[in-house]
Amino acid sequence: MKVFVLIGFLTTFSFICANPTRKLGYKTFQDKFIERCNYFQKKHKVKSDELKLKEKIDCDGMWKQHIGHIAEKNACETKSYNNLFNHVIEKNVQVIKDKALFWSGTNVIAHQFAVNKNNILTLEDTFSGYIADGLVWADLFEIDKQSDLNSCVFTANGLPYWKKASELFANKAAGTVHVMLNATSQAVNPHSIFGSTEVPVIKKNKSITKVVFILINEEKVEQKESCSKGSVKQLIDDLKKSQKSVDCYDYKERNKLFNEVMTLICKLTPTAYGCSIKG
């Protein structure tokens, strides 16, 4: 009897080890995706909530029709989420007026700032961002070797999905939008999602009337870009040509909002550039 139990255990153990992502990672990804989809709709159900979906989405059906089948493809194959966004998500999300915050290279501060402010929303606060934020896309495509992940990093880390989500976020933004960028390097990097996907949409989106830039530095080194030079200055000029009003704040040009961000930075990183405590 013990022999059969041992054999059964070893067989099960070997199967799990041979298929770690399908048995564990894939299922975890699926469960979290569907769970978040349902939770988001329960959380945002008040009519006045701009994050409330226009119609209820069948989360299990959305997974089966638009996500699950993608996992069956080779991880390095080009993934398209056009049907998911065009036929399910886009028609159900509302316009976000005067609250959209775009960010690049400022992940922690941007999201902490959004948490502290009741009138600021990032992509990750919206439906498409919330359901996928922090999920390990390599699990979905059964990638368990670093070499495989490196060979097809574009699809394996979910970039096609995030590009569609970012494009939608920029299309649904209206009125005044805020942009928080890292000024220690090329703030508007053409290879980043902000530079490659969101910027072109912001320029064309006639519903966006004003763009407010906040250039920050979470490190000890001086910033390389400012409101008056570098890639930010070029983008400001382009936005003005698109008939948009632009404000920009950095360490020289401050306002109340910038000072609030600086207070948050110095609280989290006291040795950061511009804080009273020097590293």
Side-chain angles (χ1 to χ4, degrees):
M1 182 66 175
K2 291 182 180 180
V3 174
F4 288 112
V5 172
L6 179 59
I7 292 175
F9 171 78
L10 290 175
T11 302
T12 302
F13 181 77
S14 299
F15 177 79
I16 291 175
C17 290
N19 302 274
T21 51
R22 174 60 72 179
K23 292 293 291 182
L24 300 174
Y26 174 89
K27 192 66 169 61
T28 298
F29 189 106
Q30 179 184 19
D31 289 346
K32 286 185 177 180
F33 192 93
I34 295 175
E35 179 183 358
R36 290 179 181 182
C37 172
N38 286 314
Y39 177 77
F40 185 94
Q41 295 182 82
K42 291 179 180 178
K43 181 180 179 181
H44 301 287
K45 58 183 180 180
V46 179
K47 190 175 182 179
S48 59
D49 187 344
E50 62 267 82
L51 293 177
K52 180 183 182 300
L53 299 180
K54 295 178 181 179
E55 296 180 4
K56 180 176 175 56
I57 291 178
D58 174 7
C59 300
D60 290 285
M62 180 177 70
W63 172 269
K64 292 176 182 178
Q65 186 173 358
H66 298 289
I67 300 295
H69 75 284
I70 288 179
E72 298 173 2
K73 296 183 178 182
N74 181 287
C76 293
E77 287 184 42
T78 300
K79 308 297 187 300
S80 174
Y81 299 91
N82 289 340
N83 288 336
L84 171 63
F85 280 89
N86 295 343
H87 301 307
V88 180
I89 298 179
E90 184 173 1
K91 68 178 183 180
N92 282 310
V93 297
Q94 302 186 58
V95 170
I96 299 176
K97 187 175 181 180
D98 299 326
K99 292 187 176 183
L101 171 63
F102 298 89
W103 60 272
S104 184
T106 57
N107 190 338
V108 175
I109 295 299
H111 289 96
Q112 189 59 54
F113 183 67
V115 169
N116 293 351
K117 304 283 286 186
N118 293 324
N119 59 342
I120 294 290
L121 296 171
T122 66
L123 166 60
E124 291 75 17
D125 293 313
T126 66
F127 179 74
S128 59
Y130 177 80
I131 60 177
D133 187 29
L135 293 184
V136 181
W137 290 82
D139 288 345
L140 179 64
F141 303 121
E142 298 184 299
I143 298 176
D144 57 358
K145 295 180 181 179
Q146 187 61 41
S147 58
D148 293 338
L149 179 60
N150 292 339
S151 68
C152 48
V153 65
F154 179 78
T155 53
N157 65 8
L159 270 177
Y161 177 93
W162 284 113
K163 279 183 168 290
K164 289 296 297 182
S166 298
E167 180 182 352
L168 177 60
F169 185 57
N171 267 316
K172 290 293 182 177
T176 298
V177 302
H178 290 80
V179 179
M180 189 178 294
L181 302 174
N182 182 354
T184 61
S185 58
Q186 185 179 15
V188 186
N189 188 328
H191 301 295
S192 68
I193 288 184
F194 174 70
S196 64
T197 303
E198 294 172 336
V199 166
V201 178
I202 292 173
K203 289 180 181 179
K204 295 179 182 179
N205 186 346
K206 295 181 179 180
S207 296
I208 295 176
T209 56
K210 184 175 182 178
V211 182
V212 180
F213 289 94
I214 305 172
L215 307 187
I216 67 170
N217 181 355
E218 302 174 63
E219 304 174 18
K220 300 178 183 179
V221 298
E222 291 189 18
Q223 62 187 51
K224 294 182 178 180
E225 294 204 0
S226 67
C227 295
S228 59
K229 68 177 182 179
S231 60
V232 178
K233 176 61 167 59
Q234 180 60 56
L235 178 54
I236 289 175
D237 292 341
D238 292 343
L239 290 170
K240 288 181 177 179
K241 292 178 183 178
S242 300
Q243 307 301 313
K244 299 187 188 301
S245 174
V246 180
D247 286 341
C248 185
Y249 301 100
D250 55 21
Y251 291 88
K252 293 182 179 180
E253 300 290 336
R254 295 174 174 241
N255 71 338
K256 181 181 178 181
L257 190 64
F258 182 87
N259 289 334
E260 289 180 11
V261 176
M262 276 304 304
T263 298
L264 180 59
I265 291 175
C266 294
K267 181 179 179 181
L268 296 176
T269 311
T271 57
Y273 179 80
C275 299
S276 58
I277 301 177
K278 305 297 181 181

